[in-house]
C-alpha cells in the first residue's frame, strides 16, 4: 500500500513516511493510492473494538514497518468504550467522546502518537516537532496523547478567545514537551501558519516537523474504523445499512465516513451538518467552491471557512463537479443549535454538545430512517452554553475533571509563521518548555 498526493506532483510513499511528512512536498494531502478489496475487512463488528480496529487498519498499512505493531497500537490507543446508542425513530447516536479528552479527536491522536513511538528516531537525534492547529478539540487530544513521550515535542496553535473556557484549559494545562500558543486570529490563520511552516522547512533547532491535524493521513485512518464498526453494528441489529450525519468543520471526520463507504462497509447516505460557516452547503447547493473567512459560532470547533479536507473528497470523487451530487449538507444557525440542545432531553432523552446538536437538527429534518448521528464531544466541555439551556448541571467525566484541575500556561502570538518561530525559540531558551503557569504572555 502506497500513499499519493492529491496534487499528483509528489512520489507515492509508504504510510510511515506519509505520517512523518504530514503534508506532501507538493502541498497536497496524502490519500491511499487504492482501497483494499472489501473481502480483506471484517464482515462483522464483534465485541472487541481494538481487535476490530487492527483488522480494518492492517490492509492500509500493508508493507509498512508499522504493520507488525498494529494490534498493539490499537490496544493502547482504543482502550475506552465506543457506544452506539439507540434513539427513537430508527435513529442511533455514535458516542465518540469517551476518550481521555472527551472528544472524537482522541481516536486519531492516540493512534498517531503510538505510531510515532514505534518509528525509528531521526538520525540526528533531534526530537520530532508536531505542529497542531486546533479550533477546539484536536490540540487537547494531541497534547494528552503525546505528553511525556520521548522524542516528541508539540506546539499547539488555537485562535485566541474562540474556544470554550474548558477547551482552553485542556489546551493549556500541559508542561514539558507540550507548549500552547493563542493566535490573534482565526482557526484558518492557525491552519495557514502550519502549512507555511511545512512548506518553508524552517524551524528553530532544525528538528523534523510533522503534523497531527487531519491533514495527516495517520489521523484519518482511525476515523474510518468507527464508521465501519457502527455500520456493521447497526446492520446486525436492524438488518439495514445506516446513513450517517456528521458534524463538519475541517471535514476530516466526514472523510472517514466516505473512506469507510469506499472500502465497502455498509455505509448508506452521508450527510454533513455545518454551523454558520456554510461553504460546504453553499457548494452542495450548486454554488462554486469558494472558501471564505470563518465566523464565530456556538459550535466553535467547526468554525472553519476553508476546510482543507475537501481536497481529499474532491480527489475521491474525481473532482468538484463529480462530488457535488454526492454531498448532502445543511447549515445550522446558533439559534437552531440552542433550540436543539434545549429540546434534546424531551425529544431524544439526550443532552447534546453544540456540535452534535447541528447533526441532530439535520436528522430532525430528514424523513429517511436508519440514521446514525455522530456525537463528537461531551456536553460538559461546553457547560456555559449547555447548562442554561437544559436547566441543570452536566456531569463532568472523570478524565476531563482531572485535566481541569491542572495549572495552565499559554503565550499569545501574532498570526504569522515568524511569530511562532520566535515564540517557540524563546520558550526553549527560557528552559520553561511549556512549564505550568497561569501567566499569559
Amino acid at each position: 500500500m502506497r500513499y499519493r498526493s492529491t496534487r499528483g506532483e509528489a512520489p507515492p510513499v509508504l504510510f510511515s513516511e506519509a505520517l512523518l511528512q504530514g503534508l506532501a512536498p507538493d502541498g497536497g494531502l496524502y490519500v491511499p493510492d487504492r482501497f483494499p478489496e472489501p473481502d480483506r475487512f471484517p464482515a462483522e463488528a464483534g465485541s472487541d473494538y481494538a481487535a476490530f480496529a487492527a483488522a480494518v487498519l492492517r490492509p492500509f498499512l500493508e508493507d509498512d514497518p508499522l504493520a507488525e505493531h498494529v494490534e498493539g497500537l490499537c490496544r493502547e490507543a482504543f482502550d475506552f468504550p465506543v457506544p452506539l446508542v439507540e434513539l427513537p425513530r430508527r435513529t442511533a447516536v455514535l458516542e465518540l467522546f469517551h476518550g481521555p479528552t472527551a472528544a472524537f479527536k482522541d481516536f486519531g491522536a492516540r493512534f498517531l502518537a503510538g505510531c510515532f513511538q514505534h518509528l525509528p528516531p531521526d538520525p540526528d537525534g533531534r526530537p520530532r516537532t508536531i505542529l497542531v492547529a486546533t479550533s477546539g478539540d484536536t490540540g487537547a487530544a494531541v497534547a494528552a496523547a503525546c505528553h511525556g513521550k520521548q522524542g516528541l515535542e508539540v506546539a499547539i496553535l488555537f485562535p485566541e478567545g474562540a474556544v470554550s473556557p474548558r477547551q482552553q484549559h485542556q489546551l493549556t494545562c500541559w508542561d514539558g514537551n507540550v507548549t500552547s500558543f493563542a493566535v490573534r486570529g482565526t482557526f484558518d490563520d492557525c491552519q495557514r501558519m502550519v502549512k507555511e511552516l511545512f512548506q518553508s522547512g524552517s524551524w528553530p533547532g532544525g528538528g523534523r516537523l510533522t503534523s497531527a491535524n487531519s491533514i495527516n493521513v495517520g489521523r484519518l485512518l482511525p476515523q474510518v474504523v468507527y464508521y465501519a464498526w457502527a455500520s456493521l453494528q447497526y446492520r446486525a441489529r436492524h438488518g439495514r445499512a445506516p446513513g450517517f450525519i456528521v458534524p463538519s468543520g475541517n471535514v476530516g471526520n466526514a472523510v472517514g465516513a466516505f473512506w469507510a463507504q469506499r472500502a465497502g462497509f455498509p455505509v448508506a447516505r452521508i450527510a454533513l451538518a455545518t454551523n454558520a460557516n456554510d461553504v460546504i452547503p453553499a457548494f452542495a447547493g450548486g454554488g462554486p467552491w469558494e472558501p471564505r473567512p470563518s465566523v464565530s459560532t456556538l459550535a466553535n470547533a467547526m468554525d472553519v471557512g476553508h476546510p482543507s479536507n475537501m481536497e481529499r473528497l474532491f480527489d475521491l470523487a474525481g473532482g468538484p463537479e463529480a462530488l457535488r451530487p454526492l454531498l448532502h449538507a445543511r447549515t445550522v444557525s446558533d439559534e437552531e443549535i440552542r433550540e436543539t440542545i434545549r429540546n434534546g432531553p424531551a425529544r431524544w432523552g439526550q443532552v447534546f454538545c453544540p456540535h452534535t446538536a447541528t447533526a441532530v437538527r439535520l436528522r430532525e429534518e430528514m424523513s429517511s430512517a436508519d440514521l446514525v448521528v455522530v456525537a463528537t464531544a461531551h456536553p460538559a466541555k461546553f457547560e456555559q452554553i449547555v447548562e442554561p439551556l437544559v436547566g441543570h448541571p452536566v456531569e463532568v467525566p472523570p478524565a476531563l475533571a482531572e485535566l481541569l484541575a491542572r495549572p495552565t500556561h499559554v503565550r499569545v502570538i501574532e498570526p504569522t509563521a515568524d511569530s511562532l518561530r520566535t515564540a517557540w525559540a524563546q520558550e526553549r531558551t527560557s528552559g520553561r518548555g511549556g512549564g505550568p503557569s497561569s501567566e499569559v504572555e
Side-chain angles (χ1 to χ4, degrees):
M1 172 70 75
R2 296 293 188 274
Y3 289 80
R4 59 176 178 81
S5 169
T6 51
R7 301 187 184 178
E9 301 296 328
V13 296
L14 289 172
F15 172 76
S16 292
E17 187 57 30
L19 183 150
L20 287 172
Q21 288 187 25
L23 198 66
D26 61 358
L29 306 181
Y30 282 114
V31 296
D33 66 352
R34 57 183 171 81
F35 280 82
E37 293 299 317
D39 62 7
R40 299 194 60 192
F41 295 116
E44 303 294 336
S47 59
D48 187 335
Y49 185 86
F52 177 83
V56 171
L57 293 173
R58 193 172 287 112
F60 287 103
L61 272 61
E62 190 175 38
D63 301 325
D64 193 87
L66 287 170
E68 63 179 297
H69 303 293
V70 68
E71 183 83 32
L73 286 168
C74 292
R75 288 272 167 223
E76 184 176 352
F78 312 130
D79 60 352
F80 48 87
V82 191
L84 182 67
V85 179
E86 297 290 334
L87 298 182
R89 288 172 272 176
R90 284 168 64 178
T91 303
V93 60
L94 178 60
E95 294 185 350
L96 300 179
F97 50 69
H98 293 280
T101 67
F104 80 97
K105 305 294 179 72
D106 285 318
F107 288 87
R110 288 169 65 82
F111 181 78
L112 194 63
C115 288
F116 284 134
Q117 289 290 284
H118 281 88
L119 291 174
D122 278 359
D124 59 10
R126 294 187 176 124
R128 296 186 176 105
T129 300
I130 302 172
L131 298 182
V132 187
T134 183
S135 53
D137 292 324
T138 298
V142 173
C146 296
H147 186 238
K149 293 285 197 301
Q150 190 71 25
L152 296 179
E153 293 184 333
V154 180
I156 299 171
L157 286 71
F158 66 94
E160 182 186 19
V163 300
S164 79
R166 284 183 176 173
Q167 281 179 313
Q168 176 155 330
H169 198 110
Q170 284 187 291
L171 292 169
T172 59
C173 67
W174 307 99
D175 58 12
N177 65 327
V178 179
T179 310
S180 301
F181 301 92
V183 176
R184 290 191 175 103
T186 66
F187 169 74
D188 297 316
D189 291 316
C190 298
Q191 187 164 251
R192 171 185 50 77
M193 291 163 66
V194 168
K195 288 186 175 182
E196 286 178 8
L197 286 161
F198 272 103
Q199 291 172 329
S200 73
S202 172
W203 185 248
R208 183 168 184 173
L209 293 178
T210 190
S211 173
N213 276 93
S214 58
I215 62 174
N216 194 315
V217 71
R219 263 276 313 280
L220 286 188
L221 285 182
Q223 296 174 186
V224 173
V225 176
Y226 51 69
Y227 288 107
W229 167 265
S231 69
L232 290 172
Q233 279 203 333
Y234 193 96
R235 187 177 67 179
R237 295 177 190 178
H238 303 285
R240 298 175 296 272
F244 287 83
I245 308 176
V246 188
S248 298
N250 212 25
V251 196
N253 203 5
V255 169
F258 279 97
W259 282 6
Q261 185 184 62
R262 181 65 168 267
F265 289 100
V267 174
R269 187 180 197 181
I270 301 168
L272 279 57
T274 77
N275 57 25
N277 293 277
D278 64 348
V279 291
I280 299 170
F283 169 75
W289 177 243
E290 288 185 342
R292 61 183 71 109
S294 60
V295 298
S296 297
T297 75
L298 295 178
N300 64 283
M302 294 156 52
D303 290 348
V304 182
H306 191 168
S308 61
N309 279 292
M310 285 296 288
E311 187 165 335
R312 284 188 167 110
L313 291 186
F314 292 150
D315 179 88
L316 184 70
E321 291 308 313
L323 176 65
R324 195 193 307 273
L326 305 179
L327 282 181
H328 178 73
R330 202 284 209 185
T331 184
V332 180
S333 70
D334 276 359
E335 186 48 47
E336 289 172 319
I337 290 172
R338 290 188 186 95
E339 183 182 353
T340 305
I341 295 172
R342 187 182 297 114
N343 295 333
R347 190 169 293 171
W348 298 101
Q350 297 277 319
V351 176
F352 301 114
C353 86
H355 310 81
T356 306
T358 66
V360 175
R361 183 70 176 206
L362 181 52
R363 196 277 165 266
E364 291 174 345
E365 296 178 355
M366 295 174 68
S367 59
S368 54
D370 301 310
L371 289 170
V372 175
V373 169
V374 179
T376 55
H378 195 285
K381 299 185 77 168
F382 309 92
E383 84 288 358
Q384 292 184 327
I385 297 170
V386 173
E387 291 180 355
L389 294 170
V390 298
H392 61 79
V394 177
E395 184 176 356
V396 179
L400 177 57
E402 182 180 338
L403 294 183
L404 295 177
R406 298 170 62 115
T408 63
H409 168 71
V410 62
R411 266 186 91 122
V412 180
I413 63 172
E414 297 301 320
T416 67
D418 283 342
S419 180
L420 176 59
R421 289 190 190 98
T422 300
W424 177 267
Q426 289 173 348
E427 287 285 313
R428 291 307 177 264
T429 301
S430 72
R432 180 164 51 202
S437 167
S438 60
E439 177 182 4
V440 177
E441 303 180 358

